[in-house]
Amino acid sequence: MLVFVTIVKSCKIIDKEEVDFNWEEYLEETGATAAPHTSFRHVELSLQSSFQPGMKLEVANKGSLDTYWVATIITTCGQLLLLRYCGYGDDRKTDFWCDVMTAELHPVGWCAQNNKTLQPPEAIKEKYSDWTEFLIKELTGSRTAPANLLEGPLRGKNTVDLIVVGCILEVRDAFEPSVYWAARVQCNVGGRLCLSYVGVNDSAYDMWMFYLDTRLRPLGWAKENNLSLKPPTDLCDLRSSSEWTEALDEATTEALKSPLPLEVFKDHADLSTHSFRAGMKLEMVSPSEPFHICPVSVTKVYNEYYFQITVDDLTAEATPTHVVCHADSPGILPVQWCLKNGVGLERPQGFESQDFDWADYLKHTGAEAAPDVCFPNSRGFCKDMWLEAVNPLQPSELCVARITQVKGRLLWLRLEGLTKPQPDCIVDVESMSIFPVGWCEANAYPLTHLLKTVCKYSNTYIFNLIKFIYLCMLPQLDDLATAGLVNGKYCCSQLFINHRCFSGPYLNKGRIAELPKAVGPGKCAVVLKEILTMLINSAYKPGRVLRELQMVEDPQWNCQEETLKAKYKGKSYRSTMRIVRTGDQVSEFCRRVCERLQCCPNLFGPTIVSDKCPENCFSQTKTKYTYYKKRKVGRPSLGENAQDGDMSKPARRRKKRKAIFVQKKRRTSIVGYHTTESPQVCQTKNTHSEIFTCISLATPESKQMQAHIRVHKYICFQRQIFCMCTENFEEEDRLVLETNPLEWSVSDVVDFITSTDCASLAKIFQEQDIDGQALLLLTLPTVQECMDLKLGPAIKLCHQIERVKVAFYSQFAN
């Protein structure tokens, strides 16, 4: 059974390759639904242009050289602006589009400052007798397009892209709404900001907020609004008063050199006035543990915008948990909300009654319930929709999440892929900690996805695969072992990643430091592919590294083609690279790759660097490894290739190898293995090349076992496999048949399918005259091909067919 174990492990490897998680594939395979992008208002706002309809600017006159006129922005589309010259009124006939990156656009007043002529277009020149008076009236009270968005490094950028690392803004204190302190942007992920307080150098105090959070304001906001500017209450003791002041002065001076554009705050919602009074009680998602809802009280009203809420705790030794709220704060609910929505409400600590009742509780505490008018309206999602969400216990982590409940304004989210399971977390529909499917990929941010094995194929399909391997592959494995493909020259020892070596201009030193110290031993191509994939994922621009790797080639090498992948700015690319197959060429291959990436030749390879690199890369300048920069190198696009020795010639395009946006995963078969099996068999083998790769890496004992395994009769083996697999079959999913499915008629099959969750497919079985014997022969490939089904519905159908097969072998195949 050693080979069987190898196959099972191989199957798990296929499923674990979900590390390269693809939302589109996952949703298709599971038949799941993504939450609509329009439900995430904060994300929609973050994608809008920095230019707003109604803004005025000065633009060159068409057909009149060196003259300009004022135009109004009618609408925007990315970096394109639809403009209308002032004076045309509501006439849309002459509206025109221009690209903000290439057109000559200037803020209002530019012509006066630069002695340029400002005159209306010829078509309307006679419309007004006094154009100066017209412009004064037209421009009064209007907004001019900001100069920094029309010229300079911020030109044409979306609002969210204006926030760059190092920007300074002010953050409202979590416990005092009238207190602010400066914070520096450490990271901007699609508008989700990692902030560190000015004067605090410990990353443990960093916080994550979406840029639209009402706690964020431009630098100078507190002073302009007569509010206090002092360090956060819980951090005051970290420094002396003079040190805090010095840190703030330095940050302010730094910020004035490159101020954060005020356009960043144009979409910040104005706070609504609230109707809460001190002493009112309500329900709220626990601010410290957002997995349940608890009774809370309004303990302080600061002003018409802010009030303080305290979690109810009647014990004498309780430490109060306070949170500052406003009228639109997420997670605040009226009394009896949980009861009306069938949701459990946590009993307050210290309240003696076991069965919590609001009427008794209000009477016991002498308080009143906050009226429904105090609470915001709701907007809906649907149960079982998928999205991406922040882990409340680890704010830097975003996870694949499924909506398990929707109650009014609240969503219950099950976060997938967590190493330590936690209860469903509760978020408000307006939360800025939830994002649409694909948001992390679009912003090049890691997404924690499903760790559990996702069954992409029914067990029936795996059974047929196992049968194919035993009947067709084992004789070939003997030949491979004899030829030395399993051990010997086609294997390599460990390859080391030397973190301290110079990483060059393409690779991120920090990401390199996170890689394992060694990979292997194992089959050369497998080990090298793994380590090259790590390097690609450690690059500043993975696509660029993928292009560079394509240039690594030597006609004398014994190579096989492998598909490497790269992701950058939401796009996924694949390209084929030739990787050496024999151990004697690994060292030179590694060195050639390092040279191509302009890093230390010992960054990775068979040489381990302990304290000092043999190349002395610690003390050398960067030019030590960039001498070949001066060579004229032809850069092929992804999927192209070129010989290393002919860099001056244009790269020769390989047929059908183009840079593509990856929407489907593709699997490649092992290069060099040829057979004459039927097309159906070959298709199966290509689909599962990873399994064959793992078998070729099996231990020497597998070869000794093969002769014994082939002695067994196929029918005995098939029964044995079914018996083993049924051990893991869920008890409630087992099927008990009254008749032998081999004797089922077409109508019997249709009746069975109708009784399952695949009833909509019963008509296909009727039309194709599928009786019981044909039913037992169906596999996932035949179901997809013959019934023209997508993968998700096909898997559901094969699961039902699998139940019949398992029942058949347990009841009638003895």
Side-chain angles (χ1 to χ4, degrees):
M1 296 307 296
L2 178 59
V3 175
F4 176 76
V5 173
T6 304
I7 294 171
V8 172
K9 289 182 178 179
S10 302
C11 293
K12 289 182 179 178
I13 288 174
I14 290 177
D15 291 339
K16 288 296 184 182
E17 207 172 81
E18 292 298 329
V19 170
D20 185 19
F21 185 74
N22 185 297
W23 263 117
E24 183 179 359
E25 289 182 3
Y26 179 74
L27 294 176
E28 180 182 349
E29 291 167 4
T30 59
T33 304
H37 282 233
T38 51
S39 296
F40 304 87
R41 180 175 174 273
H42 60 295
V43 176
E44 293 288 295
L45 288 173
S46 72
L47 299 176
Q48 292 181 2
S49 169
S50 299
F51 295 97
Q52 297 296 302
M55 282 184 173
K56 309 288 186 182
L57 43 76
E58 294 177 357
V59 58
N61 259 321
K62 292 185 176 181
S64 180
L65 296 176
D66 297 326
T67 65
Y68 301 81
W69 189 239
V70 178
T72 303
I73 298 176
I74 304 302
T75 190
T76 66
C77 181
Q79 63 188 41
L80 298 179
L81 305 179
L82 181 62
L83 303 179
R84 183 183 304 168
Y85 285 120
C86 291
Y88 277 97
D90 295 329
D91 186 358
R92 301 181 300 174
K93 294 179 182 178
T94 57
D95 291 359
F96 59 97
W97 289 95
C98 66
D99 188 337
V100 69
M101 299 301 292
T102 57
E104 188 179 358
L105 305 174
H106 305 284
V108 172
W110 179 85
C111 285
Q113 295 172 1
N114 294 274
N115 296 319
K116 298 292 183 180
T117 303
L118 195 65
Q119 68 179 38
E122 288 292 332
I124 58 172
K125 196 171 185 179
E126 307 300 328
K127 190 173 182 179
Y128 295 96
S129 58
D130 190 340
W131 283 101
T132 301
E133 181 182 350
F134 168 81
L135 278 184
I136 293 174
K137 184 177 180 180
E138 184 78 7
L139 295 175
T140 300
S142 64
R143 290 183 62 197
T144 180
N148 57 359
L149 300 183
L150 296 171
E151 52 201 29
L154 300 181
R155 183 177 184 178
K157 286 192 174 183
N158 285 346
T159 304
V160 71
D161 297 324
L162 300 178
I163 310 172
V164 298
V165 174
C167 281
I168 308 292
L169 36 72
E170 291 181 357
V171 183
R172 175 170 55 80
D173 193 291
F175 306 104
E176 292 290 340
S178 62
V179 174
Y180 283 78
W181 188 247
R184 182 178 285 103
V185 176
Q186 300 293 345
C187 181
N188 177 5
V189 182
R192 190 163 186 260
L193 310 179
C194 179
L195 303 171
S196 63
Y197 283 116
V198 166
V200 179
N201 298 322
D202 189 346
S203 61
Y205 296 102
D206 288 355
M207 53 195 166
W208 286 88
M209 292 185 195
F210 204 73
Y211 82 103
L212 294 172
D213 195 301
T214 56
R215 290 179 61 191
L216 300 180
R217 297 293 180 182
L219 189 63
W221 169 269
K223 185 177 180 180
E224 291 175 6
N225 291 273
N226 297 319
L227 301 172
S228 300
L229 191 63
K230 60 183 181 181
T233 307
D234 54 340
L235 301 181
C236 276
D237 296 337
L238 294 180
R239 285 173 172 260
S240 65
S241 178
S242 59
E243 288 175 331
W244 285 114
T245 302
E246 182 182 353
L248 180 61
D249 291 342
E250 290 179 359
T252 303
T253 303
E254 174 188 342
L256 292 176
K257 295 178 181 177
S258 55
L260 183 64
L262 293 179
E263 284 71 34
V264 167
F265 302 92
K266 65 182 174 58
D267 294 318
H268 273 58
D270 293 330
L271 292 179
S272 305
T273 57
H274 68 81
S275 305
F276 290 94
R277 297 192 304 273
M280 283 183 172
K281 289 196 178 292
L282 56 150
E283 298 175 0
M284 183 182 187
V285 177
S286 172
S288 56
E289 297 179 336
F291 311 116
H292 51 260
I293 302 172
C294 56
V296 297
S297 302
V298 178
T299 51
K300 185 186 294 186
V301 174
Y302 297 101
N303 50 41
E304 69 270 31
Y305 299 114
Y306 294 106
F307 56 95
Q308 177 182 271
I309 278 180
T310 303
V311 177
D312 283 7
D313 190 335
L314 307 182
T315 58
E317 66 280 3
T319 300
T321 300
H322 304 299
V323 59
V324 174
C325 294
H326 51 83
D328 298 315
S329 286
I332 58 174
L333 310 161
V335 161
Q336 303 283 16
W337 186 92
C338 284
L339 179 64
K340 294 176 182 178
N341 288 275
V343 177
L345 178 68
E346 290 289 305
R347 184 170 56 88
Q349 294 290 327
F351 185 60
E352 296 178 356
S353 176
Q354 293 297 320
D355 298 323
F356 182 82
D357 179 80
W358 264 113
D360 293 341
Y361 184 62
L362 291 174
K363 183 178 180 180
H364 175 79
T365 56
E368 63 172 320
D372 290 355
V373 72
C374 294
F375 302 90
N377 297 321
S378 62
R379 186 178 77 234
F381 285 76
C382 292
K383 180 184 176 183
D384 290 329
M385 282 183 172
W386 291 77
L387 44 84
E388 298 173 6
V390 174
N391 180 356
L393 303 184
Q394 187 66 39
S396 62
E397 181 180 28
L398 273 89
C399 305
V400 167
R402 178 171 65 89
I403 301 174
T404 57
Q405 286 189 80
V406 180
K407 302 287 186 179
R409 291 185 57 84
L410 299 187
L411 310 177
W412 275 253
L413 302 181
R414 181 157 300 161
L415 304 185
E416 303 286 356
L418 300 178
T419 53
K420 184 179 181 181
Q422 63 188 34
D424 292 357
C425 62
I426 307 172
V427 299
D428 191 276
V429 294
E430 299 284 353
S431 170
M432 295 185 193
S433 294
I434 56 175
F435 302 90
V437 159
W439 187 85
C440 280
E441 181 179 10
N443 291 282
Y445 195 78
L447 174 67
T448 299
H449 49 76
L450 294 80
L451 287 181
K452 61 185 180 182
T453 302
V454 179
C455 181
K456 297 192 289 185
Y457 306 102
S458 66
N459 285 346
T460 307
Y461 192 31
I462 298 299
F463 297 157
N464 282 279
L465 176 65
I466 294 171
K467 176 176 69 177
F468 163 75
I469 292 173
Y470 270 81
L471 296 182
C472 302
M473 282 299 296
L474 289 178
Q476 301 294 340
L477 287 178
D478 281 342
D479 298 337
L480 290 175
T482 303
L485 293 179
V486 173
N487 294 295
K489 67 175 184 177
Y490 290 92
C491 286
C492 69
S493 57
Q494 274 191 319
L495 296 182
F496 301 96
I497 301 176
N498 298 307
H499 303 138
R500 297 183 60 191
C501 286
F502 176 65
S503 57
Y506 300 131
L507 303 180
N508 185 311
K509 185 83 172 173
R511 294 175 191 164
I512 291 290
E514 296 174 356
L515 298 181
K517 293 182 179 179
V519 178
K523 187 177 178 181
C524 292
V526 174
V527 174
L528 287 171
K529 181 180 180 181
E530 177 69 18
I531 207 165
L532 290 174
T533 300
M534 290 179 179
L535 292 178
I536 292 171
N537 292 329
S538 301
Y540 294 107
K541 294 183 179 181
R544 175 64 184 275
V545 169
L546 194 56
R547 292 189 185 96
E548 294 294 334
L549 292 178
Q550 285 183 294
M551 308 288 284
V552 180
E553 189 170 353
D554 191 315
Q556 298 181 352
W557 283 344
N558 181 354
C559 295
Q560 72 180 48
E561 290 187 347
E562 291 289 349
T563 299
L564 300 178
K565 295 176 285 186
K567 287 186 178 182
Y568 183 60
K569 289 189 176 179
K571 292 187 178 181
S572 301
Y573 299 92
R574 293 189 179 207
S575 184
T576 302
M577 178 183 180
R578 293 178 60 79
I579 297 177
V580 297
R581 302 175 64 199
T582 59
D584 60 328
Q585 297 174 337
V586 168
S587 180
E588 177 60 25
F589 177 82
C590 294
R591 196 172 185 88
R592 195 77 64 86
V593 169
C594 290
E595 176 182 306
R596 193 72 225 173
L597 297 182
Q598 301 178 20
C599 58
C600 174
N602 289 321
L603 180 67
F604 86 97
T607 303
I608 184 172
V609 174
S610 53
D611 296 326
K612 189 174 182 181
C613 174
E615 296 286 331
N616 201 26
C617 68
F618 307 129
S619 60
Q620 297 298 320
T621 63
K622 292 186 178 181
T623 55
K624 167 74 175 178
Y625 305 109
T626 56
Y627 66 92
Y628 27 76
K629 261 189 173 181
K630 298 177 182 178
R631 294 161 56 185
K632 188 175 180 181
V633 180
R635 301 278 191 217
S637 63
L638 296 186
E640 299 170 356
N641 210 336
Q643 297 294 336
D644 225 18
D646 190 14
M647 294 301 178
S648 61
K649 296 181 180 179
R652 181 165 58 91
R653 184 181 296 275
R654 286 180 178 267
K655 188 177 181 181
K656 294 183 180 180
R657 296 197 184 280
K658 299 180 180 179
I660 60 170
F661 175 67
V662 175
Q663 295 181 334
K664 301 284 185 183
K665 289 184 181 177
R666 297 182 180 177
R667 307 191 184 279
T668 56
S669 59
I670 291 183
V671 176
Y673 181 80
H674 303 284
T675 184
T676 57
E677 284 95 1
S678 66
Q680 183 179 359
V681 170
C682 291
Q683 182 184 8
T684 307
K685 180 158 56 180
N686 287 334
T687 306
H688 296 281
S689 62
E690 292 94 338
I691 291 182
F692 305 144
T693 302
C694 294
I695 293 178
S696 69
L697 290 171
T699 57
E701 287 82 2
S702 63
K703 177 185 174 184
Q704 300 169 8
M705 292 290 292
Q706 290 167 14
H708 298 287
I709 293 173
R710 287 198 301 274
V711 174
H712 295 289
K713 298 294 184 181
Y714 166 65
I715 189 64
C716 296
F717 167 72
Q718 192 178 43
R719 286 184 182 175
Q720 181 184 19
I721 296 301
F722 268 97
C723 290
M724 293 178 65
C725 290
T726 54
E727 293 176 3
N728 296 322
F729 208 72
E730 296 292 340
E731 192 66 36
E732 62 270 18
D733 218 18
R734 290 181 184 272
L735 189 66
V736 178
L737 301 177
E738 296 180 0
T739 58
N740 191 334
L742 284 177
E743 301 170 358
W744 283 3
S745 64
V746 175
S747 60
D748 292 332
V749 172
V750 171
D751 289 342
F752 168 73
I753 298 298
T754 305
S755 69
T756 69
D757 58 356
C758 300
S760 60
L761 304 177
K763 185 179 180 181
I764 300 177
F765 287 80
Q766 184 73 55
E767 293 173 348
Q768 299 193 14
D769 292 327
I770 298 176
D771 59 12
Q773 293 186 32
L775 180 72
L776 294 177
L777 293 175
L778 290 179
T779 63
L780 183 60
T782 54
V783 163
Q784 284 186 275
E785 182 178 353
C786 300
M787 297 186 178
D788 193 25
L789 297 178
K790 289 186 177 180
L791 187 56
I795 288 178
K796 290 177 64 176
L797 176 59
C798 284
H799 174 68
Q800 300 298 337
I801 298 172
E802 172 194 332
R803 295 174 67 208
V804 177
K805 292 184 179 183
V806 170
F808 165 72
Y809 272 90
S810 62
Q811 293 179 239
F812 303 103
N814 295 322

